[in-house]
Amino acid sequence: MSKGDVIIDARDIVKRYYIGQPNELEILHGINLTVREGEFVAIVGASGSGKSTLMNIVGVLDKPTEGEYILDDVDVMEARDDELSEIRNKKIGFVFQTYNLISRTSAVKNVELPMMYARVPGGKRKKRARELMELVEMEDRMHHTPDELSGGQKQRVAIARAMANDPALILADEPTGALDSKTGRRVMDIFHRLHEERGKTIVLITHSPELAEECERILTLSDGLFIGERKGSGHAPVR
Amino acid sequence: MLLLDNIILALNGVRANKMRSLLTMLGIIIGISSVIAIMTVGTSMTASMNETMSSFGANNITMGVSQKSSKKETMANGMRFEFGPRKQNLSDADYIYESMLDTLMEEYEDSLELCLLECSVGDAKAMDGELYANVDVKGVNDPMLEKEEDLTILAGRLFTETDQKEGRKVCLVSDYFCNNMFKGDTGKALGSEISVLIGDKYYYYTIVGVYEYDASGNFVSTSEEDTRTNLYLPLMTGFEYNHQDPRYSQVTLVTNSSVTDVDTFMKEIETFMNRRFYRNNESYEISCSSMSSFVEELTSTMSTMSMAISFIAGISLLVGGIGVMNIMLVSIQERTKEIGTRKALGATNASIRVQFIVEAMVLCFVGGIIGVVLGVLLGTILSQQMGYESSAPVEAIAFAVAFSMAIGVFFGYYPANKAAKMNPVDALRYE
């Protein structure tokens, strides 16, 4: 795959709820989204604009009612349940606002989890998990449980977990939403590093214009349609 | 690999919620432990019974005189008892005499090997100046001594043929007796004449042998000084005390190997004796019982009892299983977000299902193990209280553990399936 290949190719995405019922609701009205490899894209929008619905569809957690969606050469519309699981496992790395670490297991086990589902052998899994923990500068807290970590630390573990199977796309949903500005900054710096040093494709969903400004391309979503597209700086603000 | 991780995860879960896990497992623990306890008692009982049977001989038939009565009750051991006061004692005509036994032995010479005879003289006190010892005086024939009493001779000898035939005044005493009367000096005891107070008369016997007293099988424990041991006399010597012809209210017959079905043969003898000798006896008849019928009765009582307890345990396990299902449903509800996260990370429905089934199984397995340990402990204490050597029922334990895991699968499947089918979007959004 050469630089510039299309990772996300979504056309005419429509999402409706309560289909056939009197309260039928159309959230997305025909979204077109193309993201190329190595891009750092922000999707901004106020709450209720359809951000979460779009993220669920892009993240293959949900299927659109209508439209076409090719993710890294795989046709999502045609995939069965198990195939969707595999797509999520291998092609997407999720970073959630609320971290979503499994609370009873250690940080490093959380990072191993996607590799476990991908049936990566134990030794290789442990080695890779350690490398990723080093990448997010969490190697000294590998065996702590999430309860023993601060919010910023948890989110760094979550980013390491998202990187576990070296996915084609990192999908971050308000990754700094629950963090103070200082720790939020540190998390954003990691994203920039992944983008610049490793060439990762990142889609960041946020309602914060400042964060969006750090990305290369900013898409504005309003009432289920993209209403604007502009270029961003593509790197962290210089202080 | 995934399975091992799931097991470790589940064990961590059990450890993290100790109280909740324990309460969940309680039904399983109670069910399994009660089954294992009763099984332990059962196998211990059967093991001791088998031992007793082989020491007494499975081929032995006890033939006795019993009262004819319309209100006759057959007890579990085949012996017959009646209610109400005994109307009359055995009269001379009711006893089993030597001549009858001779006839019987002749009739069934192919099947009967030996006839064990005993003449119980009764409790007595052996005296020697200040010293005394309590004894139970018994006249016995040689087969009785060898087959039934199974004595270990420490010094001296058993009875000789002449002792038996002529009814010589010789006796065998226990080492306990020797300790009391001769300060343990068996050499001094042998050949000594001791006076024995039976009723209100003194009798004199010469000690020819000392046997080892076997306290096992003696259910009533007494202090060493009070222990009443047997003092054996030759059979004829025993009868001499009674001033009667040799006669018996009960004898033991030993069958030889040609008899395979002791119970059927026993009935045959019963019929033969009653036709031949007791046809005209209005009050008494002959009845037989055997060790095997006794053990059979006991085993069947035991199995009925364990069936009943197993049934109760089954209900307990069912309730326990429902408890497990309940807690799994709660746990899945609580961990909806975790399930959503796992799905987002690539868990298939199958792997989520396996995770929760394994969790339910581990919960039941731990409960089962605790139940087995408690059950064996309880069973051991119970069987020791009842005086049996305890032995753990290995098969039942294996079955119990397997069964408790099966409960885990059965009652874990529904909640696990519910978790597996969760929509990832809804699960992730759950707070």
Side-chain angles (χ1 to χ4, degrees), chain A residues 17 56 61-62 81-82 85-86 88-89 92 94 96 98 100-102 104-105 109-110 113-114 116-117 119 122 125 161, chain B residues 1-2 5 9 12-13 16-17 335 337-338 341-349 351-352 355 359 423-425 428-429 431:
Chain A
Y17 290 101
N56 289 338
L61 292 165
D62 206 356
D81 254 16
D82 283 1
S85 296
E86 203 186 328
R88 289 195 291 264
N89 185 224
I92 302 168
F94 286 94
F96 301 96
T98 49
N100 290 21
L101 297 180
I102 309 294
R104 279 207 300 263
T105 53
K109 283 276 174 204
N110 265 283
L113 201 58
M116 234 166 69
Y117 289 127
R119 303 196 179 279
R125 207 166 75 194
R161 184 176 68 180
Chain B
M1 203 63 220
L2 204 57
D5 287 308
L9 195 70
N12 284 340
N17 296 312
R335 285 152 68 191
K337 194 156 190 172
E338 177 191 323
T341 305
R342 284 175 182 276
K343 287 199 157 187
L345 297 179
T348 57
N349 291 358
S351 56
I352 298 283
Q355 182 195 337
E359 196 168 314
N423 177 345
V425 174
L428 272 172
R429 206 186 289 144
E431 286 299 330

Short mmCIF file of all heavy atoms in Angstrom, two decimals, chain A residues 17 56 61-62 81-82 85-86 88-89 92 94 96 98 100-102 104-105 109-110 113-114 116-117 119 122 125 161, chain B residues 1-2 5 9 12-13 16-17 335 337-338 341-349 351-352 355 359 423-425 428-429 431:
data_model
loop_
_atom_site.label_atom_id
_atom_site.label_comp_id
_atom_site.label_asym_id
_atom_site.label_seq_id
_atom_site.Cartn_x
_atom_site.Cartn_y
_atom_site.Cartn_z
N TYR A 17 -33.20 5.43 12.03
CA TYR A 17 -33.62 4.61 13.17
C TYR A 17 -35.14 4.45 13.13
O TYR A 17 -35.84 5.22 12.48
CB TYR A 17 -33.19 5.26 14.48
CG TYR A 17 -31.69 5.20 14.70
CD1 TYR A 17 -30.89 6.30 14.46
CD2 TYR A 17 -31.08 4.01 15.12
CE1 TYR A 17 -29.52 6.26 14.64
CE2 TYR A 17 -29.71 3.96 15.31
CZ TYR A 17 -28.94 5.07 15.08
OH TYR A 17 -27.59 5.00 15.25
N ASN A 56 -19.73 5.55 14.76
CA ASN A 56 -20.08 4.14 14.88
C ASN A 56 -20.05 3.44 13.53
O ASN A 56 -19.64 2.29 13.42
CB ASN A 56 -21.48 3.98 15.50
CG ASN A 56 -21.48 4.34 16.98
OD1 ASN A 56 -20.44 4.30 17.62
ND2 ASN A 56 -22.64 4.72 17.50
N LEU A 61 -18.95 -0.38 14.00
CA LEU A 61 -19.74 -0.88 15.13
C LEU A 61 -21.21 -0.97 14.70
O LEU A 61 -22.00 -1.68 15.29
CB LEU A 61 -19.62 0.08 16.33
CG LEU A 61 -18.24 0.12 16.98
CD1 LEU A 61 -18.13 1.32 17.90
CD2 LEU A 61 -17.98 -1.16 17.77
N ASP A 62 -21.55 -0.25 13.65
CA ASP A 62 -22.93 -0.17 13.17
C ASP A 62 -22.87 -0.14 11.65
O ASP A 62 -21.88 0.30 11.08
CB ASP A 62 -23.56 1.13 13.72
CG ASP A 62 -25.06 1.00 13.84
OD1 ASP A 62 -25.60 -0.05 13.43
OD2 ASP A 62 -25.68 1.95 14.35
N ASP A 81 -21.39 -10.80 10.67
CA ASP A 81 -21.04 -10.39 12.03
C ASP A 81 -19.58 -10.70 12.40
O ASP A 81 -18.87 -9.84 12.91
CB ASP A 81 -21.95 -11.12 13.03
CG ASP A 81 -22.98 -10.15 13.61
OD1 ASP A 81 -23.14 -9.06 13.02
OD2 ASP A 81 -23.58 -10.48 14.65
N ASP A 82 -19.19 -11.95 12.14
CA ASP A 82 -17.83 -12.35 12.51
C ASP A 82 -16.78 -11.58 11.72
O ASP A 82 -15.71 -11.27 12.22
CB ASP A 82 -17.65 -13.86 12.28
CG ASP A 82 -18.32 -14.65 13.37
OD1 ASP A 82 -18.93 -14.02 14.27
OD2 ASP A 82 -18.25 -15.90 13.35
N SER A 85 -16.35 -8.25 13.20
CA SER A 85 -15.47 -8.35 14.38
C SER A 85 -14.01 -8.33 13.95
O SER A 85 -13.17 -7.67 14.56
CB SER A 85 -15.74 -9.64 15.16
OG SER A 85 -17.03 -9.62 15.68
N GLU A 86 -13.73 -9.07 12.88
CA GLU A 86 -12.35 -9.15 12.41
C GLU A 86 -11.86 -7.80 11.88
O GLU A 86 -10.71 -7.41 12.11
CB GLU A 86 -12.23 -10.23 11.34
CG GLU A 86 -10.80 -10.73 11.23
CD GLU A 86 -10.60 -11.71 10.08
OE1 GLU A 86 -11.56 -12.45 9.77
OE2 GLU A 86 -9.51 -11.71 9.52
N ARG A 88 -12.95 -4.84 12.83
CA ARG A 88 -12.70 -3.99 14.01
C ARG A 88 -11.38 -4.36 14.67
O ARG A 88 -10.63 -3.52 15.14
CB ARG A 88 -13.83 -4.15 15.04
CG ARG A 88 -15.13 -3.53 14.62
CD ARG A 88 -16.08 -3.41 15.79
NE ARG A 88 -16.57 -4.70 16.27
CZ ARG A 88 -17.73 -5.23 15.88
NH1 ARG A 88 -18.52 -4.60 15.03
NH2 ARG A 88 -18.11 -6.39 16.35
N ASN A 89 -11.11 -5.67 14.70
CA ASN A 89 -9.92 -6.18 15.37
C ASN A 89 -8.63 -5.78 14.66
O ASN A 89 -7.67 -5.33 15.28
CB ASN A 89 -10.04 -7.71 15.48
CG ASN A 89 -8.91 -8.33 16.28
OD1 ASN A 89 -8.34 -9.33 15.90
ND2 ASN A 89 -8.58 -7.71 17.42
N ILE A 92 -9.05 -1.36 12.72
CA ILE A 92 -9.40 -0.14 13.44
C ILE A 92 -8.86 -0.18 14.86
O ILE A 92 -8.93 -1.21 15.53
CB ILE A 92 -10.94 0.03 13.49
CG1 ILE A 92 -11.51 0.05 12.07
CG2 ILE A 92 -11.32 1.31 14.24
CD1 ILE A 92 -12.99 -0.08 12.01
N PHE A 94 -9.61 1.79 18.31
CA PHE A 94 -10.50 2.77 18.93
C PHE A 94 -9.84 3.46 20.12
O PHE A 94 -9.17 2.82 20.93
CB PHE A 94 -11.77 2.08 19.46
CG PHE A 94 -12.73 1.68 18.39
CD1 PHE A 94 -12.71 0.41 17.85
CD2 PHE A 94 -13.69 2.58 17.93
CE1 PHE A 94 -13.60 0.03 16.87
CE2 PHE A 94 -14.58 2.21 16.95
CZ PHE A 94 -14.54 0.93 16.41
N PHE A 96 -11.48 5.86 23.08
CA PHE A 96 -12.75 6.42 23.54
C PHE A 96 -12.52 7.58 24.51
O PHE A 96 -11.49 7.64 25.18
CB PHE A 96 -13.58 5.35 24.26
CG PHE A 96 -13.90 4.16 23.41
CD1 PHE A 96 -13.10 3.01 23.47
CD2 PHE A 96 -14.99 4.17 22.56
CE1 PHE A 96 -13.40 1.90 22.70
CE2 PHE A 96 -15.28 3.06 21.79
CZ PHE A 96 -14.50 1.92 21.85
N THR A 98 -14.03 7.88 27.32
CA THR A 98 -14.02 7.35 28.69
C THR A 98 -13.01 6.20 28.84
O THR A 98 -13.17 5.35 29.70
CB THR A 98 -15.42 6.87 29.08
OG1 THR A 98 -15.92 6.03 28.02
CG2 THR A 98 -16.37 8.03 29.27
N ASN A 100 -12.42 3.32 28.45
CA ASN A 100 -12.93 1.95 28.28
C ASN A 100 -11.86 0.87 28.45
O ASN A 100 -11.81 -0.08 27.68
CB ASN A 100 -13.58 1.79 26.90
CG ASN A 100 -14.88 2.56 26.80
OD1 ASN A 100 -15.11 3.50 27.57
ND2 ASN A 100 -15.73 2.16 25.88
N LEU A 101 -11.04 1.01 29.48
CA LEU A 101 -10.11 -0.08 29.79
C LEU A 101 -10.87 -1.13 30.60
O LEU A 101 -11.80 -0.80 31.33
CB LEU A 101 -8.91 0.44 30.59
CG LEU A 101 -8.03 1.47 29.88
CD1 LEU A 101 -6.90 1.90 30.80
CD2 LEU A 101 -7.49 0.93 28.57
N ILE A 102 -10.47 -2.39 30.46
CA ILE A 102 -11.10 -3.46 31.25
C ILE A 102 -10.52 -3.35 32.65
O ILE A 102 -9.31 -3.49 32.85
CB ILE A 102 -10.80 -4.85 30.66
CG1 ILE A 102 -11.11 -4.90 29.15
CG2 ILE A 102 -11.54 -5.94 31.42
CD1 ILE A 102 -12.55 -4.76 28.78
N ARG A 104 -10.53 -4.99 35.56
CA ARG A 104 -9.95 -5.99 36.45
C ARG A 104 -8.57 -6.47 36.02
O ARG A 104 -7.92 -7.18 36.78
CB ARG A 104 -10.89 -7.18 36.55
CG ARG A 104 -12.01 -6.94 37.53
CD ARG A 104 -12.51 -8.24 38.09
NE ARG A 104 -13.00 -9.12 37.04
CZ ARG A 104 -14.28 -9.23 36.72
NH1 ARG A 104 -15.18 -8.53 37.35
NH2 ARG A 104 -14.66 -10.04 35.78
N THR A 105 -8.16 -6.10 34.81
CA THR A 105 -6.86 -6.62 34.36
C THR A 105 -5.85 -5.48 34.26
O THR A 105 -6.21 -4.32 34.18
CB THR A 105 -6.98 -7.31 32.99
OG1 THR A 105 -7.61 -6.40 32.11
CG2 THR A 105 -7.81 -8.55 33.08
N LYS A 109 -2.18 -6.09 30.05
CA LYS A 109 -3.15 -7.10 29.58
C LYS A 109 -4.20 -6.44 28.69
O LYS A 109 -4.69 -7.05 27.74
CB LYS A 109 -3.84 -7.77 30.77
CG LYS A 109 -2.97 -8.81 31.46
CD LYS A 109 -3.06 -10.17 30.77
CE LYS A 109 -2.08 -11.13 31.39
NZ LYS A 109 -1.69 -12.22 30.48
N ASN A 110 -4.55 -5.20 29.03
CA ASN A 110 -5.48 -4.47 28.19
C ASN A 110 -4.91 -4.26 26.79
O ASN A 110 -5.61 -4.38 25.80
CB ASN A 110 -5.79 -3.11 28.82
CG ASN A 110 -7.05 -3.14 29.65
OD1 ASN A 110 -8.14 -3.12 29.11
ND2 ASN A 110 -6.91 -3.22 30.97
N LEU A 113 -5.12 -7.41 24.76
CA LEU A 113 -6.46 -7.92 24.45
C LEU A 113 -6.77 -8.01 22.94
O LEU A 113 -7.18 -9.08 22.47
CB LEU A 113 -7.50 -7.08 25.19
CG LEU A 113 -8.87 -7.71 25.39
CD1 LEU A 113 -8.78 -9.02 26.16
CD2 LEU A 113 -9.78 -6.74 26.12
N PRO A 114 -6.57 -6.94 22.16
CA PRO A 114 -6.87 -7.06 20.72
C PRO A 114 -6.01 -8.13 20.04
O PRO A 114 -6.48 -8.81 19.14
CB PRO A 114 -6.53 -5.67 20.17
CG PRO A 114 -6.57 -4.76 21.34
CD PRO A 114 -6.13 -5.57 22.50
N MET A 116 -4.97 -10.81 21.55
CA MET A 116 -5.55 -12.09 21.98
C MET A 116 -6.69 -12.49 21.06
O MET A 116 -6.78 -13.64 20.64
CB MET A 116 -6.10 -11.92 23.40
CG MET A 116 -5.58 -12.92 24.38
SD MET A 116 -5.98 -12.39 26.05
CE MET A 116 -7.74 -12.57 26.09
N TYR A 117 -7.55 -11.51 20.74
CA TYR A 117 -8.66 -11.81 19.84
C TYR A 117 -8.16 -12.10 18.43
O TYR A 117 -8.81 -12.81 17.68
CB TYR A 117 -9.67 -10.66 19.83
CG TYR A 117 -10.46 -10.57 21.12
CD1 TYR A 117 -10.54 -9.39 21.84
CD2 TYR A 117 -11.12 -11.69 21.61
CE1 TYR A 117 -11.25 -9.31 23.02
CE2 TYR A 117 -11.83 -11.63 22.79
CZ TYR A 117 -11.90 -10.44 23.50
OH TYR A 117 -12.60 -10.39 24.66
N ARG A 119 -5.56 -13.81 17.96
CA ARG A 119 -4.83 -15.07 18.15
C ARG A 119 -3.33 -14.94 17.88
O ARG A 119 -2.71 -15.83 17.29
CB ARG A 119 -5.43 -16.19 17.29
CG ARG A 119 -6.91 -16.38 17.59
CD ARG A 119 -7.45 -17.69 17.07
NE ARG A 119 -8.85 -17.80 17.42
CZ ARG A 119 -9.29 -18.19 18.62
NH1 ARG A 119 -8.43 -18.52 19.57
NH2 ARG A 119 -10.58 -18.25 18.88
N GLY A 122 1.38 -16.00 22.48
CA GLY A 122 1.66 -15.32 23.75
C GLY A 122 2.96 -14.54 23.81
O GLY A 122 2.97 -13.39 24.23
N ARG A 125 2.94 -11.51 21.60
CA ARG A 125 1.94 -10.60 22.15
C ARG A 125 2.55 -9.76 23.27
O ARG A 125 2.42 -8.54 23.30
CB ARG A 125 0.84 -11.48 22.72
CG ARG A 125 -0.50 -10.86 22.75
CD ARG A 125 -1.51 -11.93 23.00
NE ARG A 125 -1.50 -12.37 24.39
CZ ARG A 125 -2.09 -13.48 24.81
NH1 ARG A 125 -2.73 -14.26 23.95
NH2 ARG A 125 -2.07 -13.81 26.07
N ARG A 161 -3.31 0.36 23.26
CA ARG A 161 -4.20 -0.75 22.91
C ARG A 161 -4.72 -0.59 21.48
O ARG A 161 -4.83 -1.56 20.74
CB ARG A 161 -5.36 -0.80 23.91
CG ARG A 161 -6.29 -1.98 23.70
CD ARG A 161 -7.36 -2.04 24.75
NE ARG A 161 -8.29 -0.92 24.62
CZ ARG A 161 -9.35 -0.74 25.43
NH1 ARG A 161 -9.58 -1.59 26.42
NH2 ARG A 161 -10.14 0.28 25.26
N MET B 1 -5.18 -20.76 24.44
CA MET B 1 -4.59 -19.53 24.98
C MET B 1 -5.67 -18.59 25.49
O MET B 1 -5.65 -18.15 26.63
CB MET B 1 -3.81 -18.85 23.84
CG MET B 1 -2.72 -17.93 24.36
SD MET B 1 -1.50 -18.85 25.28
CE MET B 1 -1.19 -17.72 26.61
N LEU B 2 -6.63 -18.36 24.60
CA LEU B 2 -7.75 -17.50 24.96
C LEU B 2 -8.49 -18.11 26.15
O LEU B 2 -8.91 -17.40 27.07
CB LEU B 2 -8.68 -17.38 23.76
CG LEU B 2 -9.57 -16.15 23.72
CD1 LEU B 2 -8.73 -14.90 23.76
CD2 LEU B 2 -10.41 -16.17 22.46
N ASP B 5 -6.61 -17.55 29.36
CA ASP B 5 -6.78 -16.15 29.77
C ASP B 5 -8.15 -15.94 30.40
O ASP B 5 -8.29 -15.23 31.39
CB ASP B 5 -6.61 -15.23 28.56
CG ASP B 5 -5.15 -15.13 28.13
OD1 ASP B 5 -4.32 -14.83 29.00
OD2 ASP B 5 -4.84 -15.36 26.95
N LEU B 9 -8.93 -14.75 34.14
CA LEU B 9 -9.81 -13.59 34.29
C LEU B 9 -10.97 -13.92 35.24
O LEU B 9 -11.29 -13.16 36.15
CB LEU B 9 -10.35 -13.19 32.92
CG LEU B 9 -10.98 -11.82 32.81
CD1 LEU B 9 -9.91 -10.76 32.94
CD2 LEU B 9 -11.70 -11.68 31.48
N ASN B 12 -9.82 -14.23 38.79
CA ASN B 12 -9.64 -12.90 39.35
C ASN B 12 -10.98 -12.31 39.76
O ASN B 12 -11.09 -11.66 40.80
CB ASN B 12 -8.98 -11.97 38.32
CG ASN B 12 -7.50 -12.25 38.19
OD1 ASN B 12 -6.90 -12.85 39.09
ND2 ASN B 12 -6.92 -11.84 37.08
N GLY B 13 -11.98 -12.55 38.92
CA GLY B 13 -13.32 -12.05 39.22
C GLY B 13 -13.87 -12.64 40.50
O GLY B 13 -14.44 -11.93 41.34
N ALA B 16 -12.04 -11.04 43.32
CA ALA B 16 -12.39 -9.64 43.52
C ALA B 16 -13.74 -9.48 44.24
O ALA B 16 -13.91 -8.57 45.04
CB ALA B 16 -12.43 -8.92 42.17
N ASN B 17 -14.67 -10.39 43.94
CA ASN B 17 -16.00 -10.32 44.59
C ASN B 17 -16.19 -11.52 45.50
O ASN B 17 -17.07 -12.34 45.27
CB ASN B 17 -17.11 -10.31 43.54
CG ASN B 17 -17.05 -9.09 42.67
OD1 ASN B 17 -16.92 -7.99 43.17
ND2 ASN B 17 -17.15 -9.29 41.37
N ARG B 335 -21.49 -5.24 33.39
CA ARG B 335 -20.31 -5.16 32.54
C ARG B 335 -20.67 -4.94 31.08
O ARG B 335 -19.89 -5.27 30.19
CB ARG B 335 -19.47 -6.42 32.72
CG ARG B 335 -18.72 -6.38 34.05
CD ARG B 335 -18.44 -7.74 34.57
NE ARG B 335 -17.48 -8.46 33.76
CZ ARG B 335 -17.22 -9.76 33.91
NH1 ARG B 335 -17.88 -10.45 34.81
NH2 ARG B 335 -16.33 -10.34 33.16
N LYS B 337 -20.70 -2.30 29.39
CA LYS B 337 -19.72 -1.45 28.71
C LYS B 337 -18.45 -2.23 28.37
O LYS B 337 -17.87 -2.04 27.30
CB LYS B 337 -19.36 -0.27 29.61
CG LYS B 337 -18.64 0.82 28.86
CD LYS B 337 -18.80 2.16 29.51
CE LYS B 337 -18.27 3.24 28.61
NZ LYS B 337 -18.58 4.57 29.11
N GLU B 338 -18.07 -3.11 29.30
CA GLU B 338 -16.90 -3.95 29.02
C GLU B 338 -17.15 -4.82 27.79
O GLU B 338 -16.27 -4.98 26.94
CB GLU B 338 -16.59 -4.84 30.24
CG GLU B 338 -15.44 -5.79 29.99
CD GLU B 338 -15.28 -6.85 31.06
OE1 GLU B 338 -15.49 -6.54 32.25
OE2 GLU B 338 -14.93 -8.00 30.71
N THR B 341 -16.85 -2.74 24.76
CA THR B 341 -15.43 -2.46 24.49
C THR B 341 -14.76 -3.66 23.84
O THR B 341 -14.05 -3.53 22.85
CB THR B 341 -14.70 -2.10 25.80
OG1 THR B 341 -15.39 -1.03 26.43
CG2 THR B 341 -13.27 -1.70 25.53
N ARG B 342 -15.02 -4.83 24.43
CA ARG B 342 -14.42 -6.04 23.87
C ARG B 342 -14.83 -6.24 22.42
O ARG B 342 -14.02 -6.62 21.57
CB ARG B 342 -14.81 -7.26 24.70
CG ARG B 342 -14.04 -7.35 26.01
CD ARG B 342 -14.55 -8.50 26.86
NE ARG B 342 -13.86 -8.56 28.14
CZ ARG B 342 -12.68 -9.16 28.32
NH1 ARG B 342 -12.09 -9.76 27.31
NH2 ARG B 342 -12.11 -9.17 29.50
N LYS B 343 -16.11 -5.95 22.16
CA LYS B 343 -16.57 -6.11 20.77
C LYS B 343 -15.89 -5.10 19.86
O LYS B 343 -15.53 -5.41 18.73
CB LYS B 343 -18.08 -5.95 20.71
CG LYS B 343 -18.80 -7.16 21.29
CD LYS B 343 -20.23 -7.24 20.84
CE LYS B 343 -20.71 -8.68 20.95
NZ LYS B 343 -22.03 -8.85 20.37
N ALA B 344 -15.70 -3.87 20.37
CA ALA B 344 -15.03 -2.85 19.56
C ALA B 344 -13.59 -3.26 19.28
O ALA B 344 -13.03 -2.93 18.24
CB ALA B 344 -15.06 -1.52 20.29
N LEU B 345 -13.00 -3.99 20.22
CA LEU B 345 -11.61 -4.41 20.04
C LEU B 345 -11.48 -5.66 19.18
O LEU B 345 -10.38 -6.12 18.91
CB LEU B 345 -10.95 -4.68 21.40
CG LEU B 345 -10.85 -3.47 22.32
CD1 LEU B 345 -10.21 -3.86 23.64
CD2 LEU B 345 -10.04 -2.35 21.66
N GLY B 346 -12.65 -6.21 18.80
CA GLY B 346 -12.59 -7.32 17.86
C GLY B 346 -13.05 -8.67 18.39
O GLY B 346 -12.84 -9.68 17.74
N ALA B 347 -13.67 -8.68 19.59
CA ALA B 347 -14.18 -9.94 20.10
C ALA B 347 -15.37 -10.38 19.26
O ALA B 347 -16.24 -9.58 18.97
CB ALA B 347 -14.61 -9.78 21.56
N THR B 348 -15.36 -11.65 18.87
CA THR B 348 -16.52 -12.17 18.15
C THR B 348 -17.58 -12.56 19.17
O THR B 348 -17.30 -12.68 20.36
CB THR B 348 -16.14 -13.42 17.33
OG1 THR B 348 -15.59 -14.38 18.24
CG2 THR B 348 -15.12 -13.09 16.26
N ASN B 349 -18.81 -12.77 18.67
CA ASN B 349 -19.87 -13.23 19.56
C ASN B 349 -19.45 -14.50 20.29
O ASN B 349 -19.70 -14.66 21.48
CB ASN B 349 -21.15 -13.50 18.76
CG ASN B 349 -21.75 -12.21 18.22
OD1 ASN B 349 -21.24 -11.13 18.50
ND2 ASN B 349 -22.83 -12.33 17.48
N SER B 351 -16.48 -15.54 21.10
CA SER B 351 -15.47 -15.39 22.16
C SER B 351 -16.09 -14.75 23.41
O SER B 351 -15.68 -15.07 24.52
CB SER B 351 -14.25 -14.63 21.68
OG SER B 351 -14.61 -13.38 21.16
N ILE B 352 -17.09 -13.87 23.21
CA ILE B 352 -17.79 -13.31 24.37
C ILE B 352 -18.57 -14.42 25.08
O ILE B 352 -18.53 -14.54 26.32
CB ILE B 352 -18.78 -12.20 23.93
CG1 ILE B 352 -18.04 -11.04 23.28
CG2 ILE B 352 -19.63 -11.73 25.10
CD1 ILE B 352 -17.33 -10.11 24.21
N GLN B 355 -16.25 -16.58 27.00
CA GLN B 355 -15.76 -15.89 28.20
C GLN B 355 -16.73 -16.05 29.38
O GLN B 355 -16.32 -16.38 30.49
CB GLN B 355 -15.56 -14.41 27.91
CG GLN B 355 -15.00 -13.65 29.11
CD GLN B 355 -15.12 -12.13 28.95
OE1 GLN B 355 -15.22 -11.63 27.84
NE2 GLN B 355 -15.11 -11.44 30.06
N GLU B 359 -16.61 -18.28 32.80
CA GLU B 359 -16.75 -17.63 34.10
C GLU B 359 -17.74 -18.39 34.99
O GLU B 359 -17.46 -18.64 36.16
CB GLU B 359 -17.19 -16.18 33.90
CG GLU B 359 -16.99 -15.35 35.14
CD GLU B 359 -17.15 -13.86 34.86
OE1 GLU B 359 -16.59 -13.39 33.86
OE2 GLU B 359 -17.84 -13.20 35.63
N ASN B 423 -25.69 -5.61 21.06
CA ASN B 423 -25.30 -4.71 19.99
C ASN B 423 -24.14 -3.85 20.49
O ASN B 423 -24.25 -3.20 21.53
CB ASN B 423 -26.52 -3.85 19.65
CG ASN B 423 -26.22 -2.83 18.59
OD1 ASN B 423 -25.05 -2.55 18.29
ND2 ASN B 423 -27.26 -2.26 18.02
N PRO B 424 -23.01 -3.85 19.79
CA PRO B 424 -21.84 -3.13 20.31
C PRO B 424 -22.10 -1.64 20.56
O PRO B 424 -21.58 -1.08 21.53
CB PRO B 424 -20.77 -3.34 19.24
CG PRO B 424 -21.46 -3.90 18.05
CD PRO B 424 -22.70 -4.56 18.54
N VAL B 425 -22.89 -1.00 19.68
CA VAL B 425 -23.14 0.43 19.85
C VAL B 425 -23.89 0.70 21.15
O VAL B 425 -23.49 1.54 21.97
CB VAL B 425 -23.95 0.98 18.65
CG1 VAL B 425 -24.33 2.43 18.88
CG2 VAL B 425 -23.15 0.82 17.36
N LEU B 428 -21.70 -0.06 24.21
CA LEU B 428 -20.69 0.96 24.48
C LEU B 428 -21.30 2.21 25.11
O LEU B 428 -20.67 2.89 25.91
CB LEU B 428 -19.99 1.36 23.18
CG LEU B 428 -18.78 0.53 22.79
CD1 LEU B 428 -18.32 0.91 21.39
CD2 LEU B 428 -17.65 0.72 23.79
N ARG B 429 -22.54 2.48 24.74
CA ARG B 429 -23.19 3.70 25.22
C ARG B 429 -23.72 3.52 26.65
O ARG B 429 -24.01 4.49 27.34
CB ARG B 429 -24.34 4.05 24.27
CG ARG B 429 -24.67 5.54 24.27
CD ARG B 429 -25.91 5.80 23.44
NE ARG B 429 -25.67 5.62 22.01
CZ ARG B 429 -26.59 5.11 21.19
NH1 ARG B 429 -27.76 4.70 21.64
NH2 ARG B 429 -26.33 4.99 19.90
N GLU B 431 -24.32 3.20 30.42
CA GLU B 431 -23.62 3.77 31.59
C GLU B 431 -24.04 3.04 32.85
O GLU B 431 -25.19 2.95 33.14
CB GLU B 431 -23.93 5.26 31.74
CG GLU B 431 -23.23 6.13 30.70
CD GLU B 431 -21.71 6.06 30.77
OE1 GLU B 431 -21.17 5.84 31.86
OE2 GLU B 431 -21.07 6.20 29.71
#
